[in-house]
Amino acid sequence: MTEIHNKARIRWACRRGMLELDVLFMPFVDEAFDSLSVQQQAVLQRLLEADDPDLFAWFMGHQECKDPELKQMVQLILDRVRV
């Protein structure tokens, strides 16, 4: 799969059922996806496979993600949004 198709698929997966998640994921993918390493892109894809309630809890700080790679990606997205 080409990089463009992969980005399009990731972008589609960013469309969640919760507006709070959409406003985090969509700008991040639009602005930062191309600068991520292949490994980080794979972690982002894995993060997007998580359920919305878990994602919401992790991003809002209500719960800590147990997976260190996913936790790091959550923090990367949050740091990017705060800038």
Side-chain angles (χ1 to χ4, degrees):
M1 178 179 301
T2 67
E3 208 171 293
I4 300 225
H5 289 122
N6 191 36
K7 184 176 180 180
R9 203 174 79 190
I10 293 287
R11 196 167 195 295
W12 180 257
C14 288
R15 298 179 57 176
R16 311 302 292 197
M18 300 177 81
L19 179 61
E20 296 87 348
L21 297 176
D22 289 348
V23 299
L24 290 170
F25 285 130
M26 297 302 286
F28 180 78
V29 169
D30 288 341
E31 298 167 9
F33 183 81
D34 295 331
S35 65
L36 297 177
S37 69
V38 173
Q39 181 183 1
Q40 287 174 314
Q41 290 176 2
V43 172
L44 176 61
Q45 187 169 355
R46 203 159 54 84
L47 179 67
L48 293 170
E49 293 171 1
D51 293 330
D52 284 358
D54 290 333
L55 291 170
F56 182 80
W58 297 338
F59 279 101
M60 298 303 131
H62 299 211
Q63 184 179 342
E64 187 174 312
C65 179
K66 304 292 185 214
D67 183 304
E69 287 184 326
L70 296 183
K71 181 179 177 180
Q72 185 178 20
M73 182 56 64
V74 167
Q75 192 59 53
L76 180 66
I77 293 170
L78 288 173
D79 290 345
R80 183 82 182 199
V81 169
R82 289 183 186 134
V83 171

